[in-house]
Coordinates of all heavy atoms in Angstrom, one line a residue:
M1 N 16.1 2.2 -3.9 CA 14.7 2.6 -4.1 C 14.2 3.3 -2.9 O 14.5 2.9 -1.8 CB 13.9 1.4 -4.4 CG 14.2 0.7 -5.7 SD 13.0 -0.6 -6.0 CE 12.4 -0.1 -7.6
T2 N 13.3 4.2 -3.2 CA 12.6 4.9 -2.1 C 11.4 4.1 -1.7 O 10.9 3.2 -2.4 CB 12.2 6.3 -2.4 OG1 11.3 6.3 -3.5 CG2 13.5 7.1 -2.8
K3 N 10.8 4.4 -0.6 CA 9.6 3.8 -0.1 C 8.4 4.0 -1.1 O 7.6 3.1 -1.4 CB 9.1 4.3 1.2 CG 9.9 3.7 2.4 CD 9.6 2.3 2.6 CE 9.7 1.8 4.0 NZ 9.2 0.5 4.2
E4 N 8.4 5.2 -1.7 CA 7.3 5.5 -2.7 C 7.5 4.7 -3.9 O 6.5 4.2 -4.5 CB 7.3 7.0 -3.1 CG 6.8 7.9 -2.0 CD 7.9 8.2 -0.9 OE1 9.1 8.0 -1.1 OE2 7.4 8.6 0.2
E5 N 8.7 4.5 -4.4 CA 8.9 3.6 -5.6 C 8.6 2.2 -5.2 O 8.0 1.5 -6.1 CB 10.4 3.7 -6.0 CG 10.8 5.0 -6.6 CD 12.3 5.2 -6.8 OE1 13.0 4.4 -6.2 OE2 12.6 6.1 -7.6
D6 N 9.0 1.7 -4.0 CA 8.6 0.3 -3.6 C 7.1 0.2 -3.6 O 6.6 -0.9 -4.0 CB 9.2 0.0 -2.2 CG 10.7 -0.2 -2.3 OD1 11.2 -0.5 -3.3 OD2 11.3 -0.2 -1.2
F7 N 6.4 1.2 -3.1 CA 5.0 1.1 -3.0 C 4.4 1.0 -4.4 O 3.5 0.1 -4.6 CB 4.4 2.3 -2.3 CG 2.9 2.3 -2.2 CD1 2.2 1.7 -1.3 CD2 2.2 3.0 -3.2 CE1 0.8 1.7 -1.2 CE2 0.8 3.1 -3.2 CZ 0.1 2.4 -2.2
E8 N 4.8 1.8 -5.3 CA 4.2 1.8 -6.7 C 4.5 0.4 -7.3 O 3.7 -0.1 -8.0 CB 4.8 2.9 -7.5 CG 4.2 4.3 -7.1 CD 2.6 4.3 -7.4 OE1 2.1 3.7 -8.3 OE2 2.0 5.0 -6.6
R9 N 5.7 -0.1 -7.1 CA 6.1 -1.3 -7.7 C 5.2 -2.5 -7.2 O 4.8 -3.3 -8.0 CB 7.6 -1.6 -7.4 CG 8.1 -2.9 -8.0 CD 9.6 -3.1 -7.7 NE 9.9 -3.0 -6.3 CZ 9.7 -4.0 -5.4 NH1 9.2 -5.2 -5.8 NH2 10.0 -3.9 -4.2
L10 N 5.0 -2.5 -5.9 CA 4.2 -3.6 -5.3 C 2.7 -3.4 -5.6 O 2.0 -4.3 -5.9 CB 4.4 -3.6 -3.8 CG 5.8 -4.1 -3.3 CD1 5.9 -3.8 -1.9 CD2 5.9 -5.6 -3.6
W11 N 2.2 -2.1 -5.6 CA 0.8 -1.9 -5.9 C 0.4 -2.2 -7.3 O -0.6 -2.8 -7.6 CB 0.5 -0.4 -5.6 CG -0.9 0.0 -5.6 CD1 -1.6 0.4 -6.7 CD2 -1.8 0.0 -4.5 NE1 -2.9 0.7 -6.4 CE2 -3.1 0.4 -5.0 CE3 -1.7 -0.3 -3.2 CZ2 -4.2 0.6 -4.2 CZ3 -2.8 -0.1 -2.4 CH2 -4.0 0.3 -2.9
N12 N 1.3 -1.9 -8.2 CA 1.1 -2.2 -9.7 C 1.8 -3.4 -10.2 O 2.2 -3.4 -11.4 CB 1.4 -0.9 -10.5 CG 0.6 0.3 -10.1 OD1 -0.6 0.2 -9.9 ND2 1.3 1.4 -10.0
S13 N 2.1 -4.3 -9.4 CA 2.9 -5.5 -9.8 C 2.2 -6.3 -10.9 O 0.9 -6.4 -10.9 CB 3.0 -6.4 -8.6 OG 3.7 -7.6 -8.9
P14 N 2.9 -6.8 -11.9 CA 2.3 -7.6 -12.9 C 1.8 -8.9 -12.4 O 1.0 -9.6 -13.0 CB 3.4 -7.7 -14.0 CG 4.7 -7.4 -13.2 CD 4.3 -6.5 -12.1
N15 N 2.4 -9.3 -11.3 CA 1.9 -10.6 -10.6 C 0.7 -10.3 -9.8 O 0.7 -9.7 -8.8 CB 3.0 -11.1 -9.7 CG 2.7 -12.4 -9.1 OD1 1.5 -12.8 -9.0 ND2 3.7 -13.1 -8.6
Y16 N -0.5 -10.7 -10.4 CA -1.8 -10.3 -9.8 C -1.9 -10.7 -8.3 O -2.4 -10.0 -7.5 CB -2.9 -10.9 -10.6 CG -4.3 -10.6 -10.1 CD1 -4.8 -9.3 -10.3 CD2 -5.0 -11.5 -9.4 CE1 -6.1 -9.0 -9.8 CE2 -6.3 -11.2 -9.0 CZ -6.8 -9.9 -9.2 OH -8.0 -9.6 -8.7
A17 N -1.5 -11.9 -8.0 CA -1.6 -12.5 -6.7 C -0.8 -11.7 -5.7 O -1.2 -11.3 -4.6 CB -1.2 -13.9 -6.6
K18 N 0.4 -11.3 -6.1 CA 1.3 -10.5 -5.2 C 0.7 -9.1 -5.0 O 0.7 -8.6 -3.9 CB 2.7 -10.4 -5.8 CG 3.7 -9.8 -4.9 CD 5.1 -9.8 -5.6 CE 6.1 -9.3 -4.7 NZ 7.5 -9.4 -5.3
A19 N 0.2 -8.5 -6.0 CA -0.4 -7.2 -5.9 C -1.6 -7.2 -5.0 O -1.8 -6.3 -4.2 CB -0.7 -6.6 -7.3
C20 N -2.5 -8.2 -5.2 CA -3.7 -8.3 -4.3 C -3.3 -8.5 -2.9 O -3.9 -7.9 -2.0 CB -4.6 -9.4 -4.8 SG -5.5 -9.0 -6.3
K21 N -2.3 -9.3 -2.6 CA -1.9 -9.6 -1.3 C -1.4 -8.3 -0.6 O -1.7 -8.0 0.5 CB -0.8 -10.7 -1.3 CG -0.4 -11.2 0.1 CD 0.5 -12.3 0.1 CE 0.9 -12.7 1.5 NZ 1.9 -13.8 1.4
F22 N -0.5 -7.6 -1.3 CA 0.0 -6.4 -0.8 C -1.1 -5.3 -0.6 O -1.1 -4.7 0.5 CB 1.1 -5.8 -1.8 CG 1.6 -4.4 -1.3 CD1 2.4 -4.3 -0.3 CD2 1.2 -3.3 -2.0 CE1 2.9 -3.1 0.2 CE2 1.6 -2.0 -1.6 CZ 2.5 -2.0 -0.5
R23 N -2.0 -5.2 -1.5 CA -3.1 -4.2 -1.4 C -4.0 -4.5 -0.2 O -4.3 -3.6 0.6 CB -3.9 -4.1 -2.7 CG -3.2 -3.5 -3.8 CD -4.1 -3.5 -5.0 NE -3.4 -3.1 -6.2 CZ -3.9 -3.0 -7.4 NH1 -5.1 -3.4 -7.6 NH2 -3.1 -2.6 -8.4
N24 N -4.3 -5.8 -0.1 CA -5.2 -6.2 1.1 C -4.5 -5.9 2.4 O -5.1 -5.5 3.3 CB -5.6 -7.6 0.9 CG -6.6 -7.8 -0.2 OD1 -7.3 -6.9 -0.6 ND2 -6.6 -9.0 -0.7
W25 N -3.2 -6.2 2.5 CA -2.4 -6.0 3.7 C -2.4 -4.6 4.1 O -2.7 -4.2 5.2 CB -1.0 -6.6 3.5 CG -0.1 -6.2 4.6 CD1 -0.1 -6.9 5.9 CD2 0.9 -5.2 4.7 NE1 0.9 -6.3 6.6 CE2 1.4 -5.3 5.9 CE3 1.3 -4.2 3.8 CZ2 2.5 -4.4 6.3 CZ3 2.3 -3.4 4.2 CH2 2.9 -3.4 5.4
V26 N -2.0 -3.7 3.1 CA -1.9 -2.3 3.5 C -3.2 -1.6 3.7 O -3.4 -0.7 4.5 CB -1.0 -1.6 2.4 CG1 -1.7 -1.3 1.1 CG2 -0.4 -0.3 3.0
M27 N -4.3 -2.0 3.0 CA -5.6 -1.5 3.2 C -6.1 -1.9 4.6 O -6.7 -1.0 5.3 CB -6.6 -2.0 2.1 CG -6.4 -1.3 0.8 SD -7.7 -2.0 -0.3 CE -7.3 -1.0 -1.8
Q28 N -5.8 -3.1 5.0 CA -6.3 -3.5 6.4 C -5.5 -2.7 7.4 O -6.2 -2.3 8.4 CB -6.0 -5.0 6.6 CG -6.5 -5.5 7.9 CD -8.0 -5.4 8.1 OE1 -8.7 -5.5 7.1 NE2 -8.4 -5.1 9.3
K29 N -4.3 -2.4 7.2 CA -3.5 -1.6 8.2 C -4.1 -0.1 8.3 O -4.2 0.4 9.4 CB -2.1 -1.5 7.8 CG -1.3 -2.8 7.9 CD -1.2 -3.3 9.3 CE -0.3 -4.5 9.3 NZ -0.2 -5.0 10.7
T30 N -4.5 0.4 7.2 CA -5.1 1.8 7.2 C -6.5 1.7 7.8 O -6.9 2.7 8.6 CB -5.2 2.4 5.8 OG1 -6.0 1.6 4.9 CG2 -3.8 2.7 5.2
R31 N -7.3 0.7 7.6 CA -8.6 0.5 8.2 C -8.5 0.5 9.7 O -9.3 1.1 10.5 CB -9.3 -0.7 7.7 CG -10.0 -0.5 6.4 CD -10.9 -1.8 6.1 NE -11.0 -1.9 4.7 CZ -10.4 -2.7 3.9 NH1 -9.6 -3.6 4.4 NH2 -10.6 -2.7 2.6
V32 N -7.5 -0.3 10.2 CA -7.3 -0.4 11.7 C -7.1 0.9 12.3 O -7.5 1.2 13.4 CB -6.2 -1.4 12.0 CG1 -5.7 -1.3 13.4 CG2 -6.6 -2.8 11.6
R33 N -6.4 1.8 11.6 CA -6.1 3.1 12.1 C -7.3 4.1 11.9 O -7.1 5.3 12.2 CB -4.8 3.7 11.5 CG -3.6 3.0 12.1 CD -2.4 3.1 11.3 NE -1.3 2.5 11.9 CZ -1.1 1.2 12.1 NH1 -1.9 0.3 11.6 NH2 0.0 0.7 12.7
G34 N -8.4 3.6 11.4 CA -9.6 4.5 11.3 C -9.6 5.4 10.0 O -10.3 6.4 10.0
L35 N -8.8 5.0 9.0 CA -8.7 5.8 7.8 C -9.4 5.1 6.7 O -9.6 3.9 6.7 CB -7.2 6.0 7.4 CG -6.4 6.8 8.5 CD1 -4.9 6.7 8.1 CD2 -6.8 8.2 8.6
E36 N -9.8 5.9 5.7 CA -10.4 5.4 4.5 C -9.2 4.7 3.7 O -8.2 5.2 3.5 CB -11.0 6.5 3.6 CG -11.7 6.0 2.4 CD -13.0 5.3 2.7 OE1 -13.6 5.6 3.7 OE2 -13.4 4.5 1.9
P37 N -9.4 3.4 3.2 CA -8.3 2.7 2.6 C -8.2 3.1 1.1 O -8.3 2.3 0.2 CB -8.7 1.2 2.7 CG -10.2 1.3 2.8 CD -10.6 2.6 3.5
T38 N -7.8 4.4 0.9 CA -7.6 4.8 -0.5 C -6.1 4.6 -0.8 O -5.3 4.3 0.1 CB -7.9 6.3 -0.6 OG1 -7.0 7.0 0.3 CG2 -9.3 6.6 -0.3
K39 N -5.8 4.7 -2.1 CA -4.4 4.5 -2.5 C -3.5 5.5 -1.9 O -2.4 5.2 -1.4 CB -4.3 4.5 -4.1 CG -2.9 4.2 -4.6 CD -2.8 4.3 -6.1 CE -1.4 4.0 -6.5 NZ -1.3 4.0 -8.0
E40 N -3.9 6.7 -1.8 CA -3.1 7.8 -1.2 C -2.8 7.5 0.3 O -1.7 7.7 0.8 CB -3.7 9.2 -1.4 CG -2.9 10.3 -1.0 CD -1.6 10.4 -1.8 OE1 -1.5 10.1 -3.0 OE2 -0.5 10.8 -1.1
N41 N -3.9 7.1 1.0 CA -3.7 6.8 2.5 C -2.8 5.6 2.6 O -2.0 5.6 3.6 CB -5.0 6.6 3.1 CG -5.8 7.9 3.4 OD1 -5.2 9.0 3.4 ND2 -7.1 7.8 3.6
C42 N -2.9 4.6 1.8 CA -2.1 3.4 1.8 C -0.6 3.8 1.6 O 0.3 3.3 2.2 CB -2.6 2.4 0.8 SG -4.1 1.7 1.3
R43 N -0.4 4.7 0.6 CA 1.0 5.2 0.3 C 1.6 5.9 1.5 O 2.7 5.7 1.9 CB 1.0 6.1 -0.9 CG 2.4 6.6 -1.3 CD 2.4 7.5 -2.4 NE 2.0 6.9 -3.7 CZ 0.9 7.2 -4.4 NH1 0.1 8.2 -4.0 NH2 0.6 6.5 -5.5
K44 N 0.8 6.7 2.1 CA 1.3 7.5 3.3 C 1.6 6.5 4.5 O 2.6 6.7 5.1 CB 0.2 8.5 3.8 CG 0.1 9.7 2.9 CD -0.9 10.6 3.4 CE -1.0 11.8 2.4 NZ -2.1 12.8 2.9
Y45 N 0.7 5.5 4.7 CA 1.0 4.5 5.7 C 2.3 3.8 5.4 O 3.2 3.6 6.3 CB -0.1 3.5 5.8 CG 0.3 2.4 6.7 CD1 0.2 2.5 8.1 CD2 0.7 1.2 6.2 CE1 0.6 1.4 8.9 CE2 1.1 0.1 7.0 CZ 1.1 0.3 8.3 OH 1.5 -0.8 9.1
Y46 N 2.5 3.3 4.2 CA 3.6 2.5 3.8 C 4.9 3.3 3.9 O 5.9 2.7 4.3 CB 3.4 1.9 2.4 CG 4.5 0.9 2.0 CD1 4.5 -0.4 2.5 CD2 5.5 1.3 1.1 CE1 5.4 -1.3 2.2 CE2 6.5 0.4 0.8 CZ 6.5 -0.9 1.3 OH 7.4 -1.8 1.0
S47 N 4.9 4.6 3.6 CA 6.1 5.4 3.6 C 6.4 5.9 5.0 O 7.4 6.6 5.2 CB 6.0 6.5 2.6 OG 4.9 7.4 3.0
G48 N 5.4 5.7 6.0 CA 5.7 6.1 7.4 C 5.2 7.4 7.7 O 5.5 8.0 8.8
Q49 N 4.4 8.0 6.9 CA 3.9 9.4 7.2 C 2.6 9.3 8.1 O 2.2 10.3 8.7 CB 3.5 10.1 5.9 CG 4.7 10.3 5.0 CD 4.4 10.9 3.7 OE1 3.2 11.0 3.4 NE2 5.4 11.2 2.9
I50 N 2.1 8.1 8.3 CA 0.9 8.0 9.2 C 1.3 7.1 10.3 O 1.9 6.1 10.2 CB -0.3 7.3 8.4 CG1 -0.8 8.2 7.4 CG2 -1.4 6.9 9.4 CD1 -1.9 7.7 6.5

């Protein structure tokens, strides 16, 4: 699996608690870097483009 596939799998997980935990974690990482915590920015962070 690629990083993009992993991101989509975790972001849209049927397990609500796991999806929320992942989203909050990656959104916090983008906020720390001074970026808007959008899904696209989160995807870029997770895949290593930021």
